[in-house]
Amino acid sequence: MKKILLSTISLATFVATSAFSADLPSIKSALVSTPAPMWTGFYAGLNSGYNFGTNNNSYTMGFGPDVFSAIDLGNGGPISFSYVLNGVGLAQTGIASNKQNGFIGGGQVGYNYQLQQKYVVGVEADIQGVGISGSGGFTGSGINSTTVSGTNYSANSSGQTSISSSVNWHGTVRGRLGYLLTPSLLAYGTGGLSYGGVKASVSSNVYTNYIGSVDTRYPFEGSQTFIGNSATSQTLVGWNAGGGFEWMFMPNWSLKSEAIYWNLGNVNLNTTSIAGAGGSFSYTVVGEKDGVLSNRVSSSTTSINYQGVIARAGINYHFDTGSSPKTDFVSNFISKEKNVEIVAGIPLWSSFYAGFNAGYDFGTNINSNNIGYQAGSLTQIRTGLRVSPFNYSLSGVGLAQTGTASNLQSGFIGGGQVGYNYQLQQKYVVGVEADIQGAGISGSGGFTGAGANSTTVDGINYSANSAGQTSISSSVNWLGTVRGRLGYLLTPSLLIYGTGGLSYGGVEAALSSNVYTNYIGSKNANLPFQGSQTYIGNSTMLQTLVGWNAGGGLEWMFMPNWSLKGEAIYWNLGNVNLNTTSIAGAGGSWYYYIPDQQRGLLPNQVSSSTSSINYQGIIARAGVNYHFNLANVVPVVAKF
């Protein structure tokens, strides 16, 4: 009996165990294939943000202008003396605060590779139009003195230096290393190469007063103003480092927010300052004999650093991601137009929206026109010929500064927009949109010119032949619009529209002019009159202009709340008139008469010119918009 009972229990246990085992999946069937990585793949997108400058100061070091030499013809003279004029250089030495801030926007492309379900490595390249700029200045002073025959001669200098700098476009090539906080949220660090187009300009004005007194008669006195301007445009390469977060908020689409420190290094801008307008003769009250303050040239070097921290947001489309998290509205969304119908009477497009854009501006401003004006009248006293003074108009200098420069303005542009749409009768959409972009729009060109003047005195012909080169550059650092929009729905999700309204932007212009003038008069082999002067002028300008625009485009609501747009907009900010003063400084010489070596002076002359520069172009760009309040209008009904 006992054996039977044990056999029965063993059989029951075997049957039960077999039945339970039959209900369990086999180990082989329990293996689950690993899902494809969600982040691996190529991507492209748009970004927009703001640059906070970290370059607080630009440093300027002045030099010279070597040794000052003069002859004091009064006080029983002549007395020769000289001293080093480093006081002018000291007046040009100082620190200017010109922190560089501004909007930035553009696009990026990249590739990610996901490792071990937690790590993502990749590389990204971007390029942006930017409106980063800064300006500042400082004052300086310096003193020189010497004593000759008991008389103290001094040169007291004081001046003002102004500096401006800007970045017109900026790009990076960076590696990225990230950790997935959740399957759809990536925290990453990034760093690599930065590159960009930069501009800088320096303007210096130093007044120097020369004086010597042994008593109240002032045997020596005079003044000169050292004026200098310089500008440069360069492409720099540097480095960057930063980090951010990226969120895969729906299949193939991610939003990112990041901060990146960048540094493009330094530009050393050399400026030559010429003692021109404001210069006067030395003189003595007693003898009334005139000497000369000779033309002098000083120089300075300004070191400008380009760096900052970019805080920006962006959106990316991932072309070949694998598995990704689903949301209810995405899984229920039917993307094909034939499977979607609009609920009668409920607008699809009415809402506020915001987004990013990036594109390129094709300049339509072909030419800038420059008109020069004469440098007054040249008056000479021919001491060698012992005859009366003569003069003639120097309109030839102005003619040499008159011409047309081709400086077509083109470049990248990118930023963001906000707006509101209202849908009418299921077919029409009206709205308003405002945008602001960083811009790297710039152009440059130049021309050569020539002019001649002449007069005849006592049978001798005196002529002044001028030839010169003028260079003009212009740029738009940032650009915005406020526009109305009127559209027609080709399909329920595809809008064609026209747009137009107000444009506004920050513009910059620079002009450099160099005219050489040769004075000569001849009656025979002896040259009674000969000399030369070089008219040098530079000017820069920063302004905010307001104009108009008109254009059109297409916008596609490719999924609930999200649309893509492509548009072309013509814009015109009008004209800037840039005035430039050119000073006859370095290269000036005395006229002379060979037989008795009597000498006189070519007086300092000042000419001027006005350049008219127009800012206009056509922007071709793409953008993405998020529409905020479409959820409450039930935009689609899915058909199965």
Side-chain angles (χ1 to χ4, degrees):
M1 185 68 180
K2 184 178 181 179
K3 290 182 178 180
I4 295 173
L5 179 60
L6 291 173
S7 298
T8 303
I9 294 173
S10 298
L11 179 61
T13 302
F14 174 78
V15 171
T17 303
S18 299
F20 179 74
S21 299
D23 291 336
L24 291 176
S26 67
I27 295 175
K28 183 176 182 180
S29 64
L31 293 176
V32 178
S33 60
T34 302
M38 172 181 167
W39 290 84
T40 298
F42 290 96
Y43 64 89
L46 301 173
N47 69 78
S48 181
Y50 193 84
N51 179 78
F52 298 90
T54 56
N55 169 32
N56 290 321
N57 296 316
S58 296
Y59 301 89
T60 299
M61 178 67 71
F63 307 94
D66 55 62
V67 177
F68 173 77
S69 297
I71 300 176
D72 184 352
L73 299 178
N75 197 35
I79 299 174
S80 297
F81 62 94
S82 65
Y83 47 86
V84 177
L85 264 182
N86 56 14
V88 178
L90 291 174
Q92 294 173 317
T93 299
I95 300 173
S97 176
N98 65 321
K99 186 179 291 187
Q100 303 150 353
N101 299 314
F103 292 99
I104 182 169
Q108 67 272 346
V109 295
Y111 181 81
N112 290 322
Y113 186 77
Q114 186 170 342
L115 299 170
Q116 302 175 359
Q117 303 299 320
K118 282 293 185 181
Y119 301 96
V120 175
V121 295
V123 63
E124 181 173 294
D126 60 60
I127 190 166
Q128 288 82 214
V130 302
I132 300 172
S133 63
S135 60
F138 64 86
T139 59
S141 62
I143 299 174
N144 299 107
S145 65
T146 189
T147 300
V148 178
S149 301
T151 299
N152 179 262
Y153 297 91
S154 63
N156 304 313
S157 301
S158 62
Q160 173 72 40
T161 297
S162 299
I163 299 170
S164 65
S165 58
S166 62
V167 182
N168 295 327
W169 58 271
H170 181 265
T172 72
V173 178
R174 294 172 285 107
R176 300 205 315 168
L177 176 60
Y179 179 80
L180 289 166
L181 303 175
T182 71
S184 60
L185 181 60
L186 176 69
Y188 62 89
T190 184
L193 188 74
S194 283
Y195 55 98
V198 305
K199 286 188 176 183
S201 63
V202 174
S203 175
S204 177
N205 190 316
V206 175
Y207 176 81
T208 300
N209 182 46
Y210 307 98
I211 191 168
S213 61
V214 69
D215 52 33
T216 58
R217 293 174 294 177
Y218 297 109
F220 175 75
E221 186 176 82
S223 63
Q224 285 180 307
T225 302
F226 290 79
I227 297 176
N229 296 276
S230 60
T232 185
S233 295
Q234 297 185 27
T235 298
L236 301 181
V237 177
W239 61 278
N240 63 75
F245 295 90
E246 189 166 1
W247 172 42
M248 190 80 70
F249 64 95
M250 65 174 64
N252 298 86
W253 288 92
S254 67
L255 291 172
K256 71 171 183 176
S257 176
E258 63 187 3
I260 296 177
Y261 170 81
W262 57 274
N263 192 318
L264 295 179
N266 293 340
V267 164
N268 292 320
L269 182 57
N270 298 316
T271 304
T272 298
S273 297
I274 302 166
S280 65
F281 300 151
S282 63
Y283 64 90
T284 173
V285 174
V286 176
E288 295 185 352
K289 294 183 178 180
D290 294 335
V292 64
L293 289 176
S294 56
N295 286 310
R296 312 302 298 176
V297 178
S298 70
S299 64
S300 65
T301 299
T302 301
S303 180
I304 303 172
N305 185 262
Y306 294 85
Q307 59 176 272
V309 174
I310 297 170
R312 65 184 176 187
I315 186 169
N316 287 321
Y317 179 81
H318 299 255
F319 292 99
D320 53 355
T321 55
S323 62
S324 54
K326 304 291 184 181
T327 60
D328 291 339
F329 81 87
V330 172
S331 60
N332 293 328
F333 177 69
I334 308 299
S335 60
K336 294 182 180 179
E337 190 77 32
K338 65 182 180 180
N339 289 330
V340 178
E341 70 177 21
I342 304 301
V343 178
I346 301 179
L348 173 68
W349 289 82
S350 295
S351 70
F352 289 97
Y353 62 89
F356 303 105
N357 69 78
Y360 194 84
D361 178 77
F362 299 89
T364 56
N365 169 33
I366 303 298
N367 296 318
S368 295
N369 300 312
N370 196 68
I371 299 176
Y373 305 95
Q374 70 182 47
S377 296
L378 176 68
T379 301
Q380 292 295 338
I381 301 175
R382 296 174 301 150
T383 56
L385 297 177
R386 298 180 178 86
V387 294
S388 302
F390 66 95
N391 66 81
Y392 52 89
S393 169
L394 275 179
S395 59
V397 178
L399 291 173
Q401 294 173 316
T402 299
T404 300
S406 175
N407 65 322
L408 195 65
Q409 304 153 351
S410 301
F412 293 100
I413 186 168
Q417 66 272 344
V418 295
Y420 180 78
N421 288 322
Y422 185 77
Q423 186 170 342
L424 299 170
Q425 303 175 358
Q426 302 299 321
K427 282 293 185 180
Y428 300 96
V429 174
V430 295
V432 63
E433 181 174 294
D435 60 60
I436 190 166
Q437 289 80 212
I441 302 171
S442 63
S444 61
F447 64 87
T448 58
N453 299 104
S454 64
T455 190
T456 299
V457 178
D458 296 336
I460 300 177
N461 180 260
Y462 297 91
S463 63
N465 302 312
S466 302
Q469 172 71 41
T470 298
S471 299
I472 299 173
S473 65
S474 57
S475 63
V476 181
N477 296 328
W478 59 271
L479 181 67
T481 71
V482 178
R483 294 171 287 108
R485 301 205 315 169
L486 175 61
Y488 178 80
L489 289 166
L490 300 175
T491 71
S493 61
L494 183 60
L495 176 70
I496 184 171
Y497 62 88
T499 184
L502 188 75
S503 287
Y504 55 98
V507 305
E508 187 174 357
L511 185 144
S512 174
S513 178
N514 191 316
V515 175
Y516 175 81
T517 300
N518 182 46
Y519 307 99
I520 191 169
S522 63
K523 188 174 185 179
N524 48 44
N526 293 326
L527 300 176
F529 175 72
Q530 183 172 274
S532 63
Q533 286 179 308
T534 301
Y535 290 79
I536 298 176
N538 295 277
S539 60
T540 59
M541 172 279 306
L542 290 169
Q543 287 189 26
T544 298
L545 301 181
V546 177
W548 61 279
N549 64 75
L554 293 169
E555 189 167 3
W556 172 43
M557 190 79 72
F558 63 96
M559 64 174 65
N561 298 84
W562 288 95
S563 65
L564 293 172
K565 71 172 183 176
E567 63 187 3
I569 297 177
Y570 171 81
W571 58 274
N572 192 319
L573 295 179
N575 292 340
V576 163
N577 293 320
L578 181 59
N579 298 315
T580 304
T581 298
S582 298
I583 301 167
S589 63
W590 297 335
Y591 69 84
Y592 62 90
Y593 176 59
I594 291 177
D596 59 8
Q597 298 296 306
Q598 296 289 327
R599 297 184 179 182
L601 175 73
L602 288 177
N604 286 309
Q605 299 289 326
V606 179
S607 70
S608 63
S609 66
T610 298
S611 182
S612 179
I613 303 170
N614 185 262
Y615 294 86
Q616 58 177 272
I618 296 176
I619 297 170
R621 64 184 178 186
V624 60
N625 286 321
Y626 178 80
H627 300 254
F628 291 99
N629 55 355
L630 289 177
N632 60 356
V633 297
V634 192
V636 297
V637 173
K639 293 181 178 180
F640 295 96

